[in-house]
Amino acid sequence: METKIIHFMVHGRLERAEFGSECPAADVKDLFQAAAEAEPHHILKMYDTNGSLVNITPQLEANGEDSYYRLEAVASDLKRVGTPPELDDMEHRLHRLERKVIEDVGSVPEVLREMKTHVESFKEKLESLEHLSWMGLFKTDRDQRLADPKPPTQQPSVPDGREQVHRRFLHMSSLQVTEEVKEHLKTPLFDNWQWEEAEMLVLLQVMFADLDFLALLHIELDVLQNFLFEVYCHYNNVPFHNFRHCFCVTQMMYGLIWLTDLRSHFPPLDLLVMLTSALCHDLDHPGYSNVFQINAQTHLARRYNNVSPLENHHCTMAFGILSEPERNILKNLSGEQYRHIRAGMIRCILATDMARHNDILLRFRVTQPIFDFTNEEHREVLMKIMLKVSDISNEARPMAVAEPWLDCLLQEFFNQSDTEKLQGLPVTPFMDRDQVSKPSSQTNFIQFVLLPLFTELTKLFPCLEQHILVPVQRALDFYSDMERVTKQEKEQEELELL
Ligand code: 0WF
Ligand code: ZN
């Protein structure tokens, strides 16, 4: 029996398969299925060097290493999602009817042929819309339901939901993210609300890959996927400080790295510190602030002696996740590199405690006239500033993206002040539903926190002006107008009561 050698590329690896020409077809399919690590619902596609599809059969032509085939496992259920079962059912019934008509009459009447064509073209249309949904240009109803985080309590909180996210993440991670989405991902214009959890995990993987971390820092793909999934699992289902916030902060950090061309100033190790700190910076956030932790003397406040209890906890969680080799993205680094990353992440995550805001901003401000990228202290404070900016940057995003975030934040704040009232604890004034409104909380925050911080970073990177400063100024105008109108309406109501 003649043995064939087939060379093929799958998941970026050049593989080779051997089988006899009389090998059963099912065995040949199994062999490629295993090589592609495909699940039963995947469809295997083999392309030759011209990009033409070839049949995966024992008759597949042998080839050389330099004329390898390309093997892809395509998720058939992506298509099934867009094709409702009723449509499949109709197709089967039409097929049965066609066979019966041929048996009885001997030919297929025109009307039946037309119906078949209609069903086919309708199916194709649905499938093409599903494809657009992956590009982020269009969402089907189903995707909208899965992706729609409003209200945020709809996010999966049960292990079953997480398992589904895990499966979808691994399954989608072998598919290509379009160049258009990748480019968008590098800007503050990116709309997180369009994407469901599994898709955000894929996009986080894209960020690590596009910064070349896998190659430069020897991160194995499956370890990165395990790490990202564990990070996802350790965010809580709270209104604001949830996995979607983690995604947004990481995406903003990623955008800032590209927009400022930080790769030409910082070594990859420091860029990894920044992206990983962003990912981990709110791990296991309970939805109640440091002030609450300290006033209520929670276990976190006692464990960390009232010193940034939340941020210390987020760090501890991060290194807990990294403590298992199968999800430790730092495992192939030297001891010295690991210590560098650990110290950097702790510094950056602790810097997100807003109680340290003025101190850090002041330290950054004094470096401005003499900022030196080769000075370690300067680099360290810049890394902190970039994480701080990313953390509170919602208002730099388009209004349609930013405004729902403010609703989520106020929901979390109001929950806290309600609990404070119930427990007889001091009520944090800017969280009190009886004292604040959307415009009043934002105008002060933008004027006294965001603009001074963003202006300082823009001095070092003037190119950021259009990306973060201009939109925040616009948001200030928007909320100032809203505040004025609300005030006028209130005055009018009071006048009418007199
Ligand atoms: C609602 C407002 C606020 N607005 C935001 O856009 C934003 C982003 N992150 N955060 C934000 N807070 C906080 C989440 C946890 C830490 C930062 N808040 C801030 C508060 C009401 O008002 C002020 C105003 C000036 C100074 C300090 C707080
Ligand atoms: Zn945060």
Side-chain angles (χ1 to χ4, degrees), residues 27 32 55 60 74 90 93 113 147 185 211 243 318 405 440 445 473 477 490:
D27 290 3
F32 286 107
N55 276 335
L60 189 63
V74 182
M90 191 182 297
R93 279 160 57 200
R113 222 177 273 139
L185 200 57
L211 285 170
F243 174 68
W405 274 118
S440 70
F445 187 66
Q473 269 154 349
D477 294 342
K490 231 176 164 183

Short mmCIF file of all heavy atoms in Angstrom, two decimals, residues 27 32 55 60 74 90 93 113 147 185 211 243 318 405 440 445 473 477 490:
data_model
loop_
_atom_site.label_atom_id
_atom_site.label_comp_id
_atom_site.label_asym_id
_atom_site.label_seq_id
_atom_site.Cartn_x
_atom_site.Cartn_y
_atom_site.Cartn_z
N ASP A 27 -11.07 7.82 8.91
CA ASP A 27 -9.81 7.93 9.66
C ASP A 27 -9.00 9.14 9.23
O ASP A 27 -8.38 9.84 10.03
CB ASP A 27 -8.96 6.66 9.47
CG ASP A 27 -9.58 5.47 10.19
OD1 ASP A 27 -10.68 5.66 10.76
OD2 ASP A 27 -9.00 4.39 10.17
N PHE A 32 -7.08 14.75 10.60
CA PHE A 32 -6.98 16.21 10.44
C PHE A 32 -7.79 16.95 11.51
O PHE A 32 -7.42 18.04 11.94
CB PHE A 32 -7.42 16.62 9.03
CG PHE A 32 -6.38 16.26 8.00
CD1 PHE A 32 -6.58 15.21 7.13
CD2 PHE A 32 -5.19 16.97 7.94
CE1 PHE A 32 -5.60 14.87 6.20
CE2 PHE A 32 -4.21 16.63 7.01
CZ PHE A 32 -4.41 15.57 6.15
N ASN A 55 -10.70 18.53 -1.20
CA ASN A 55 -11.42 17.56 -0.37
C ASN A 55 -10.47 16.84 0.56
O ASN A 55 -9.38 16.44 0.16
CB ASN A 55 -12.12 16.52 -1.26
CG ASN A 55 -13.45 17.05 -1.72
OD1 ASN A 55 -14.04 17.91 -1.07
ND2 ASN A 55 -13.91 16.54 -2.85
N LEU A 60 -6.35 12.70 -1.24
CA LEU A 60 -5.68 14.00 -1.18
C LEU A 60 -4.25 13.86 -1.74
O LEU A 60 -3.53 12.93 -1.38
CB LEU A 60 -5.62 14.43 0.29
CG LEU A 60 -5.16 15.84 0.60
CD1 LEU A 60 -6.12 16.86 0.01
CD2 LEU A 60 -5.10 16.04 2.12
N VAL A 74 -13.39 25.63 10.99
CA VAL A 74 -14.34 26.74 11.00
C VAL A 74 -15.53 26.36 11.87
O VAL A 74 -16.05 25.25 11.78
CB VAL A 74 -14.83 27.04 9.56
CG1 VAL A 74 -15.77 28.22 9.56
CG2 VAL A 74 -13.64 27.33 8.68
N MET A 90 -37.58 23.78 7.10
CA MET A 90 -38.24 24.05 5.84
C MET A 90 -37.43 23.47 4.67
O MET A 90 -37.97 22.89 3.73
CB MET A 90 -38.41 25.56 5.65
CG MET A 90 -39.32 25.89 4.50
SD MET A 90 -39.46 27.64 4.24
CE MET A 90 -40.20 28.19 5.73
N ARG A 93 -37.98 19.78 4.54
CA ARG A 93 -39.31 19.42 4.03
C ARG A 93 -39.38 19.62 2.52
O ARG A 93 -39.95 18.81 1.79
CB ARG A 93 -40.38 20.23 4.76
CG ARG A 93 -40.67 19.60 6.12
CD ARG A 93 -41.32 20.52 7.09
NE ARG A 93 -42.56 21.08 6.62
CZ ARG A 93 -43.11 22.19 7.13
NH1 ARG A 93 -42.50 22.83 8.10
NH2 ARG A 93 -44.23 22.65 6.68
N ARG A 113 -38.80 24.66 -7.52
CA ARG A 113 -37.41 25.10 -7.71
C ARG A 113 -37.24 26.53 -7.19
O ARG A 113 -36.26 26.87 -6.55
CB ARG A 113 -37.05 25.02 -9.20
CG ARG A 113 -35.65 24.45 -9.38
CD ARG A 113 -35.26 24.26 -10.81
NE ARG A 113 -35.67 22.98 -11.35
CZ ARG A 113 -36.17 22.81 -12.55
NH1 ARG A 113 -36.37 23.83 -13.34
NH2 ARG A 113 -36.50 21.61 -12.96
N ALA A 147 -24.74 40.32 24.24
CA ALA A 147 -23.76 41.38 24.47
C ALA A 147 -24.30 42.47 25.37
O ALA A 147 -23.55 43.14 26.03
CB ALA A 147 -23.35 41.99 23.15
N LEU A 185 -9.51 49.02 17.78
CA LEU A 185 -9.13 48.63 19.15
C LEU A 185 -8.01 49.54 19.69
O LEU A 185 -7.82 49.64 20.90
CB LEU A 185 -8.63 47.18 19.09
CG LEU A 185 -8.60 46.34 20.35
CD1 LEU A 185 -9.97 46.26 21.01
CD2 LEU A 185 -8.09 44.93 20.05
N LEU A 211 1.09 43.23 20.44
CA LEU A 211 2.25 43.91 21.05
C LEU A 211 3.46 42.96 21.05
O LEU A 211 4.49 43.26 21.64
CB LEU A 211 1.92 44.36 22.47
CG LEU A 211 1.02 45.60 22.56
CD1 LEU A 211 0.54 45.85 23.98
CD2 LEU A 211 1.74 46.85 22.01
N PHE A 243 -15.91 42.88 34.81
CA PHE A 243 -14.95 42.50 33.76
C PHE A 243 -14.98 43.47 32.58
O PHE A 243 -13.97 43.74 31.95
CB PHE A 243 -15.24 41.07 33.30
CG PHE A 243 -14.40 40.66 32.12
CD1 PHE A 243 -13.01 40.48 32.26
CD2 PHE A 243 -14.96 40.45 30.87
CE1 PHE A 243 -12.22 40.12 31.17
CE2 PHE A 243 -14.18 40.09 29.78
CZ PHE A 243 -12.81 39.92 29.94
N ALA A 318 -4.13 39.06 41.70
CA ALA A 318 -3.38 38.91 40.44
C ALA A 318 -2.28 37.86 40.62
O ALA A 318 -2.13 36.96 39.77
CB ALA A 318 -2.79 40.25 40.04
N TRP A 405 -21.79 54.14 31.12
CA TRP A 405 -20.82 53.85 32.20
C TRP A 405 -21.12 54.69 33.44
O TRP A 405 -20.97 54.24 34.57
CB TRP A 405 -19.37 54.10 31.74
CG TRP A 405 -18.79 52.90 31.05
CD1 TRP A 405 -18.36 52.82 29.76
CD2 TRP A 405 -18.60 51.59 31.61
NE1 TRP A 405 -17.92 51.55 29.48
CE2 TRP A 405 -18.04 50.78 30.61
CE3 TRP A 405 -18.84 51.03 32.88
CZ2 TRP A 405 -17.71 49.44 30.82
CZ3 TRP A 405 -18.52 49.69 33.09
CH2 TRP A 405 -17.97 48.91 32.07
N SER A 440 -24.19 66.98 37.97
CA SER A 440 -23.43 67.60 39.06
C SER A 440 -22.20 66.76 39.40
O SER A 440 -21.12 67.29 39.66
CB SER A 440 -24.30 67.81 40.30
OG SER A 440 -24.60 66.55 40.90
N PHE A 445 -16.06 66.40 38.63
CA PHE A 445 -15.04 65.36 38.39
C PHE A 445 -14.19 65.72 37.16
O PHE A 445 -12.97 65.60 37.16
CB PHE A 445 -15.72 64.00 38.22
CG PHE A 445 -14.77 62.85 38.15
CD1 PHE A 445 -13.99 62.49 39.25
CD2 PHE A 445 -14.63 62.09 36.98
CE1 PHE A 445 -13.11 61.42 39.20
CE2 PHE A 445 -13.75 61.02 36.92
CZ PHE A 445 -13.00 60.68 38.03
N GLN A 473 -13.23 67.71 27.15
CA GLN A 473 -13.74 69.10 27.19
C GLN A 473 -15.18 69.15 26.67
O GLN A 473 -16.03 69.85 27.20
CB GLN A 473 -12.84 70.01 26.36
CG GLN A 473 -11.74 70.60 27.22
CD GLN A 473 -10.48 70.98 26.45
OE1 GLN A 473 -10.33 70.62 25.27
NE2 GLN A 473 -9.58 71.68 27.11
N ASP A 477 -18.74 70.35 28.50
CA ASP A 477 -19.77 71.25 27.94
C ASP A 477 -21.15 70.59 28.01
O ASP A 477 -22.14 71.21 28.40
CB ASP A 477 -19.47 71.59 26.47
CG ASP A 477 -18.20 72.43 26.34
OD1 ASP A 477 -17.78 73.01 27.37
OD2 ASP A 477 -17.62 72.46 25.24
N LYS A 490 -35.93 73.30 37.46
CA LYS A 490 -36.26 73.25 38.88
C LYS A 490 -36.82 74.60 39.33
O LYS A 490 -37.84 74.67 40.02
CB LYS A 490 -34.99 72.93 39.68
CG LYS A 490 -35.18 71.78 40.65
CD LYS A 490 -33.88 71.47 41.30
CE LYS A 490 -34.07 70.63 42.53
NZ LYS A 490 -32.78 70.43 43.17
#
